[in-house]
């Protein structure tokens, strides 16, 4: 290890040079590896040892005073048992005169270094216990220790059986263990008193240490034998009291606020706490060994030895381990004979194992340590259980018992005084792990196991606060607002193990391999001992007890397969927490009666000390009052909880957690379309939140955001219920169902509040209007919360969603009122004026649309704004239609009111298009608005054309307005885009062209005079007829319309023929008309196809009306058009025959002869066919098709006149 000075300097532990008083080292200082730890090479075998002082209350080291030879240690020094500035507050402890180590000493250390427990450290214990364990194979003395497991850490404490049973005789505690001990281990147990030699050796050691710090050699008179006896007896009494066994252990209710719990004997009494790494074992060790320094020896341990007694192996191991643990490089031994100092000797730490009479192998000590740790880790597997490691004096057998299991067989399981400290430690370790923000989710399984075992150990009636807090933390482990993610591959979790080391876990099977433990030592206690080491000699064999049951660093977290399962688990913990809180609150009947003479103290709260926005509570109160949910009373609730008490704080947290869980459940039910269940859950969420508002003294903006989210979801649910009214019975059944757990949580809520604050939002109404209205009110309330709490700027996404929903629900309500108005209009008697009810519905609908448009425009949602503008346009058309039906059909004229509303409708549609900007923004919406605008223009034109307002306008003006409206309609009618609406657009365009052609045709008939205008009308009529025919020709489902257009074209040709004088002109016109007739064949083919399909239907379907199977074919119209067609074809053929015959007399023409013969033939057949009145419609159609084919072939064979 090199030069002693260097080694000593290197090993100087931090805190040994503390600046007086108690010093807790900073993390950087306490965990600096190079200064505090070193690898020691001892006895030729490498043993790795590293010590880091985590805490020290020792004063700066003082050099020890080398006593002169012949100094009499039986005489007390002047400073004996007195406080000194050199010693600091830890004085007597450093010099070995402290009380005996307390039975809960490891818990005191664990509380102080909670970060190390459960994860980093394997063992927490007093150094004396560590030394006792490592000396087991060499020692015949008894070993009795309590072992507890917290995570992967084992806590070891001395279990002084003698002291325990002495107490048992006085108090009755531990009687079950005493009976068990006497029955199975030592039937004749009695307390063994310590000898006078023991007290003598203790006294001279104390005096020697005081001499060593004083150095003046001054002696006090030796006390008289009587005084000495009195002193030793008082020491004895003091020592026995020092064990300080609290039983049953009780923790104050404010355990979470009082971590030290010093009143219960759980204080960390060690002068220094050291993180000692011995090979691969990490230990947190408490030590009181006095360390001296200064001068040539910066760190030495001082020992007093009787020169007549050689050092044995046990003493050597003791000295060596003490120096390793405290990282002291040298040992100074002072030899005496009968209390008279003889000499001093210095020994390096690495030389101790090779001392004469004290030779031992450090490698063996390492093997013993590893074997004992493996044995304990493999068998102390149940967290929260107290295990007892016991070796009787003189015995080679080591046994391990589970005292918790033995104690549970007695009447009161809380007789085990370790129960409470273990539970508190489990709780604190879990708390510490929860507080670490960088904690990975893989530790959640460990935290959950710690908390479940903590709750299992505690009595609900005695410790409600810890149980409530533990259950709240259990509920916090489940992230409600995050989807379940797959665990990473580097931390696989065992899905089949929920509680990991719970009591139900199977024990490790016995095995004889590797020197495994046997439970067959003595037949008498086979069924009691958890495990047995048959011979202590086995502990020296390397890896004899190698652990095959390693304590896992993380416990399995339960895998929740869906959101509902996760929320239900959370609610079960919340319920347990609420029960604990409620059970701790005194009932009203238990409270003392008020004294009339004592004034009631009123608790005023300074506004300046309140957290959060100053006006938030006032705003919330106004909001709740507006919503009808403000309750009379104060924030303490109906149960009488005091604001600020732990019950008040905990219940607030639990209630908030329950509201979140119910919200998530409701959201999940919504996605499954279980709207009744969703409404039930959101009702529970709002009831929880209502109770929270009732109890809360300082409203947080986060909580208001939750309320806004709850109300938003409630609005969604009410809207979906309104839209799914046909399944109302199933929704009602789901809404009324309630689990026992929900009932119990609601019962706890009712202790504080009536829970009726938001009852208006969660009623399952059967009225559609009411449901839509409630949905709208929910969104408005959610928006109002965002407005007054200024949350909209902090949560822009939620704000946008709320406004979108408000716009949407207002659109739904607007459409609802519009449809109601349309229904009233359809029921109204013809010629009756518009009713007040209709007008009221229009106003409501318009108001909703207007507000909805404003909502969407405020968040720049142009698409939805356009849709609402489109619906407003539709409302204007409904208003126009209402005024249309208010007049007598015979005196019907297009009224100014109709014109006004149609104009307004056009304005709204144009606004919608402007809102969208271009078709690329949203093609579907753009096409829809365009279509509606085209329809409006078309309807206006049609009504003006059919019901011309001649009493107010001139014919020419009307024709102009109709023409303009039709052309605008045509402009917005997209016939080229291949969309689902293309056939409709084509039909609309064809109809427009047909109507315009008819109008110009009519004008031409009625007009006299202006030849230029007549010619213009003639050209326009011909143009529009051609376009109409071409568009109808593209459609497969409009044969009648095509036929009608062609017949009107023929009539137009006939009208032109009447004004012609020459036979050549007339013949040319007739040829054109007949060509038009030929082109009607396509329409007749379509009609024939439909009639054939109708005839081919099964007989059973004959009773069904033709309209059902052929919705596009109107038989009456077909018959009517067919009759007109036959008469017009007959007329045209006759006129053609006459003209051709007269021209034949004048000159012979072969082509005309052919046409004449063909026409005569066709005319003859047509006459015969029309004369047969028994022909069916299909037969008549087939005849016409046949004639047209003949006519077409006749026309094509001749090079006669072309069709104009």
């Amino acid at each position: 290890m090199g030069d002693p000075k260097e080694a000593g300097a290197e090993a100087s532990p931090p805190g040994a040079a503390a600046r007086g008083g108690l010093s807790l080292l900073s993390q950087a200082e306490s965990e600096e590896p190079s200064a505090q730890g070193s690898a020691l090479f001892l006895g030729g075998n490498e043993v790795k040892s590293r010590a880091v002082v985590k805490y020290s209350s020792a004063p700066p080291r003082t050099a020890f005073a080398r006593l002169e030879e012949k100094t009499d240690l039986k005489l007390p020094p002047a400073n004996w048992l007195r406080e000194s500035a050199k010693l600091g507050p830890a004085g007597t402890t450093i010099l070995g005169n402290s009380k005996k180590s307390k039975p809960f000493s490891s818990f005191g250390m664990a509380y102080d270094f909670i970060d190390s427990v459960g994860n980093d450290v394997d063992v927490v214990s007093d150094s004396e216990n560590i030394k006792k364990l490592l000396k087991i194979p060499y020692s015949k003395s008894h070993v009795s220790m309590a072992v507890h497991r917290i995570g992967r850490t084992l806590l070891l404490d001395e279990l002084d059986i003698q002291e325990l049973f002495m107490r048992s005789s006085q108090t009755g505690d531990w009687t079950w263990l005493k009976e068990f001990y006497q029955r199975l281990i030592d039937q004749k147990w009695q307390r063994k008193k310590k000898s006078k030699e023991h007290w003598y050796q203790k006294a001279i050691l104390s005096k020697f240490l005081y001499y060593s710090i004083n150095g003046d050699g001054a002696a006090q008179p030796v006390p008289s034998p009587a005084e000495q006896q009195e002193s030793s007896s008082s020491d004895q009494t003091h020592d026995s009291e020092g064990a300080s066994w609290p039983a049953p252990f009780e923790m104050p209710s404010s355990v979470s606020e009082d971590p030290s719990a010093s009143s219960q004997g759980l204080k960390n009494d060690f002068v220094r706490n050291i993180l000692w790494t011995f090979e691969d074992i990490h230990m947190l060790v408490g030590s009181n060994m006095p360390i001296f320094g200064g001068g040539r020896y910066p760190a030495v341990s001082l020992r007093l030895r009787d020169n007549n007694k050689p050092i044995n192996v046990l003493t050597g191991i003791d000295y060596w381990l003490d120096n390793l643990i405290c990282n002291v490089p040298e040992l100074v031994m002072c030899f005496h004979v009968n209390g008279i100092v003889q000499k001093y000797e210095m020994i390096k730490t690495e030389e101790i194992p090779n001392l004469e009479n004290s030779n031992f192998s450090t490698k063996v000590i390492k093997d013993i340590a590893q074997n004992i740790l493996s044995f304990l880790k493999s068998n102390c597997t149940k967290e929260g259980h107290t295990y007892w490691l016991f070796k009787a004096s003189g015995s080679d057998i080591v046994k391990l018992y589970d005292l918790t299991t033995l104690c549970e067989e007695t009447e009161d399981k809380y007789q085990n005084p370790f129960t409470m400290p273990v539970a508190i430690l489990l709780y604190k370790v879990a708390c510490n792990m929860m507080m670490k923000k960088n904690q990975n989710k893989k530790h959640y399984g460990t935290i959950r196991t710690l908390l479940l075992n903590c709750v299992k150990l505690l009595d609900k009636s005695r410790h409600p606060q810890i149980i409530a807090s533990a259950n709240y933390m259990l509920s916090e482990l489940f992230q409600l607002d995050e989807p379940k993610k797959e665990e990473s591959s580097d931390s696989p979790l065992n899905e089949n193990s929920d509680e990991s080391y719970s009591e139900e876990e199977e024990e490790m099977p016995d095995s004889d391999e590797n020197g495994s433990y046997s439970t067959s030592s003595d037949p008498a206690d086979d069924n009691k001992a958890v495990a047995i080491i048959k011979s202590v000699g086995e502990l020296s064999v390397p890896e004899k007890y190698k652990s095959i049951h390693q304590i896992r660093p993380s416990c399995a977290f339960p895998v929740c397969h869906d959101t509902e399962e996760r929320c239900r688990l959370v609610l079960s913990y919340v319920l347990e927490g609420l029960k604990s809180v409620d059970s701790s609150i005194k009932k009203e009947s238990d409270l003392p009666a008020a004294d009339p003479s004592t004034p009631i103290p009123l608790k005023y709260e300074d506004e300046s000390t309140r957290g959060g926005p100053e006006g938030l509570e006032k705003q919330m109160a106004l909001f709740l009052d507006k919503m009808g949910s403000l309750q009379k009373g104060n924030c303490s609730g109906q149960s009488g909880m005091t604001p600020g008490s732990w019950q008040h704080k905990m219940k607030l947290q639990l209630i908030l957690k329950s509201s979140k869980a119910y919200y998530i459940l409701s959201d999940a039910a919504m996605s499954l379309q279980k709207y009744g269940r969703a409404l039930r859950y959101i009702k529970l969420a709002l009831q929880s939140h209502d109770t929270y508002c009732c109890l809360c003294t300082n409203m947080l903006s986060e909580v208001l955001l939750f309320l806004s989210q709850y109300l938003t979801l409630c609005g969604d649910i009410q809207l979906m219920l309104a839209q799914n009214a046909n399944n109302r019975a199933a929704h009602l059944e789901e809404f009324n169902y309630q689990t026992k757990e929900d009932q119990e949580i609601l019962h706890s809520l009712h202790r504080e509040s009536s829970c009726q604050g938001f009852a208006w939002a969660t009623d399952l109404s059967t009225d559609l209007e009411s449901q839509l209205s409630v949905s709208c009110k929910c969104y408005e309330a959610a928006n109002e919360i965002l407005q007054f709490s200024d949350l909209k700027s902090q949560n822009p996404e939620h704000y946008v969603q709320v406004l979108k929903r408000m716009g949407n629900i207002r659109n739904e309500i607007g459409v609802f009122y519009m449809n109601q108005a349309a229904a009233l209009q359809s029921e109204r008697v013809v010629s009756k004026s518009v009713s007040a009810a209709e007008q009221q519905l229009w106003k409501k609908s318009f108001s909703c649309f207007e507000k909805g448009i404003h909502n969407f425009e405020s968040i720049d949602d142009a698409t939805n704004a356009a849709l609402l503008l489109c619906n407003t346009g539709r409302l204007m058309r409904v208003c126009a239609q209402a005024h249309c039906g208010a007049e007598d059909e015979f005196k019907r004229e297009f009224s100014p009111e109709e014109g006004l509303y149609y104009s307004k409708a056009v304005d709204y549609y144009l606004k919608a298009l402007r809102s969208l900007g271009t078709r690329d923004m949203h093609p579907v919406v753009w096409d829809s608005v365009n279509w509606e605008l085209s329809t409006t223009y078309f309807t206006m034109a049609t009504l003006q054309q059919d019901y011309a307002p001649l009493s107010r306008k001139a014919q020419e003006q009307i024709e102009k307005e109709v023409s303009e409206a039709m052309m605008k309609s045509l402009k917005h009618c997209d016939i080229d885009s291949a969309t689902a609406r293309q056939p409709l657009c084509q039909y609309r365009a064809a109809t427009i062209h047909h109507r315009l052609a008819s109008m110009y045709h009519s004008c031409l008939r009625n007009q006299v005079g202006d030849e230029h205008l007549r010619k213009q009308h003639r050209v326009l009529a011909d143009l529009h007829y051609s376009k109409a025919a071409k568009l109808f020709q593209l459609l497969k489902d409009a044969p009648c319309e095509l036929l009608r257009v062609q017949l009107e074209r023929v009539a137009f040709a006939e009208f032109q023929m009447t004004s012609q004088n020459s036979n050549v002109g007339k013949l040319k016109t007739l040829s054109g008309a007949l060509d038009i007739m030929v082109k009607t064949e396509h329409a007749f083919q379509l009609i024939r196809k439909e009639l054939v399909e109708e005839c081919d239907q099964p007989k059973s379907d004959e009773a069904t009306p033709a309209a059902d199977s052929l919705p596009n074919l109107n038989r009456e119209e077909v018959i009517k058009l067919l009759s007109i067609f036959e008469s017009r074809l007959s007329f045209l053929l006759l006129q053609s025959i006459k003209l051709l015959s007269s021209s034949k007399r004048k000159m012979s023409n072969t082509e005309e002869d052919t046409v004449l013969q063909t026409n005569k033939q066709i005319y003859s057949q047509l006459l015969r066919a029309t004369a047969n009145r028994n022909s069916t419609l299909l037969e008549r159609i087939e005849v016409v098709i046949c004639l047209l084919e003949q006519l077409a072939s006749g026309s094509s064979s001749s090079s006669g006149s072309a069709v104009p």
Side-chain angles (χ1 to χ4, degrees), residues 598-629:
T598 306
I600 299 171
L602 298 176
K603 295 184 180 180
Y604 293 101
E605 191 174 7
D606 185 3
E607 286 291 328
S608 62
T609 62
R610 296 180 67 176
E614 188 177 328
L616 201 55
E617 285 79 14
K618 290 180 181 177
Q619 291 281 357
M620 188 62 186
L622 289 170
F623 168 73
L624 291 173
D625 188 37
K626 182 180 176 183
M627 292 291 116
S629 54

Side-chain angles (χ1 to χ4, degrees), residues 102 148 206 290 332 362 368 429 562 711 775 852 957 960 970 1019 1044 1064 1127:
K102 294 183 180 179
H148 297 89
S206 174
V332 175
T362 58
I368 293 167
V429 171
D562 57 22
L711 288 167
S775 178
Q957 187 184 353
K960 183 183 176 184
L970 205 55
V1019 171
R1044 186 180 291 108
V1064 177
S1127 67

Side-chain angles (χ1 to χ4, degrees), residues 153-450:
T153 304
L154 296 174
L155 275 66
L156 305 179
D157 291 281
E158 183 180 3
L159 198 61
D160 189 334
I161 293 295
Q162 292 193 19
E163 176 60 36
L164 214 60
F165 294 165
M166 278 295 292
R167 181 175 181 82
S168 173
S169 303
Q170 297 167 10
T171 64
D173 298 327
W174 293 91
T175 52
W176 57 275
L177 183 57
K178 184 176 179 182
E179 289 169 7
F180 169 75
Y181 182 84
Q182 288 179 327
R183 186 172 71 252
L184 295 178
I185 299 165
D186 187 357
Q187 295 179 355
K188 299 177 181 178
W189 174 85
Q190 58 181 1
R191 180 171 175 78
K192 297 176 180 64
K193 295 184 178 180
K194 292 180 180 177
S195 64
K196 287 186 178 181
E197 177 66 20
H198 168 80
W199 301 115
Y200 167 72
Q201 292 296 340
K202 189 173 180 181
I204 68 164
L205 174 62
S206 174
K207 292 168 187 174
F208 164 67
L209 291 172
Y210 273 93
Y211 270 122
S212 297
I213 63 162
N214 189 23
D216 57 7
Q220 295 285 349
V222 180
S224 64
E227 290 172 342
Q228 203 166 0
Q229 178 67 30
E230 185 183 339
S231 172
S232 67
S233 65
S234 68
D235 277 350
Q236 185 176 346
T237 309
H238 198 63
D239 186 57
S240 68
E241 288 175 355
S244 179
W245 280 94
F249 187 91
E250 290 186 12
M251 203 68 179
S253 62
S254 58
V255 63
S256 54
E257 291 93 24
D258 182 21
S260 64
S262 56
S263 61
Q264 298 298 326
L266 295 186
K267 191 176 178 184
N268 184 355
D269 283 332
F270 295 104
V271 172
R272 60 185 67 82
N273 300 122
I274 301 156
L275 195 59
W276 181 39
T277 304
F278 185 56
E279 284 297 309
D280 58 346
I281 304 169
H282 304 284
M283 293 178 265
L284 181 62
V285 181
S287 173
N288 289 329
M289 185 180 79
I291 300 175
F292 294 87
R296 289 170 47 201
Y297 316 112
V300 296
S301 58
L302 200 55
R303 302 286 183 174
L304 182 65
R305 293 295 306 167
D306 190 333
N307 207 20
N308 297 326
K309 297 177 182 177
I311 297 175
N312 58 25
V313 172
L314 293 176
T315 307
I317 293 173
D318 222 38
Y319 292 172
W320 180 69
L321 288 173
D322 267 335
N323 276 17
L324 276 191
I325 290 169
C326 296
N327 233 353
V328 175
E330 290 178 289
L331 164 69
V332 175
M333 284 201 287
C334 175
F335 292 92
H336 74 96
V337 175
N338 294 326
I340 306 300
V341 174
Q342 300 296 314
K343 63 176 179 177
Y344 279 85
E345 187 177 331
M346 290 199 68
I347 304 166
K348 290 183 179 179
T349 300
E350 62 264 37
E351 294 171 356
I352 295 174
N354 302 318
L355 290 175
E356 189 180 352
N357 300 321
S358 177
N359 192 287
F360 61 90
S361 167
T362 58
K363 188 79 167 62
V364 170
I365 301 297
K366 180 199 78 171
D367 292 335
I368 293 167
Q370 289 174 335
N371 281 327
I372 288 176
L373 181 63
S374 294
F375 173 76
L376 292 174
K377 276 192 171 184
S378 299
N379 294 287
C380 303
T381 56
K382 296 177 181 176
E383 214 162 24
H385 279 224
T386 299
Y387 292 90
W388 180 29
L389 186 72
F390 179 76
K391 182 178 88 72
S393 183
S395 171
D396 277 352
I397 300 169
V398 182
K399 300 175 184 178
L400 185 71
Y401 297 96
D402 184 348
L403 292 187
T404 303
T405 306
L406 295 172
C407 182
E408 284 173 351
E409 295 171 4
T410 64
E411 292 180 3
D412 184 6
K413 71 173 183 176
Y414 299 106
Q415 270 202 9
N416 180 357
F418 280 105
T419 300
M420 191 61 195
V422 171
I424 298 301
L425 188 55
L426 289 167
Y427 173 78
K428 285 181 175 292
V429 171
C431 280
N432 183 63
M433 293 176 83
M434 284 284 282
M435 292 295 285
K436 290 182 180 177
K437 291 181 180 177
N438 60 347
Q439 192 69 262
N440 194 301
K441 279 189 181 180
K442 67 183 179 182
H443 294 301
Y444 279 8
T446 305
I447 297 169
R448 179 172 179 267
T449 306
L450 290 167

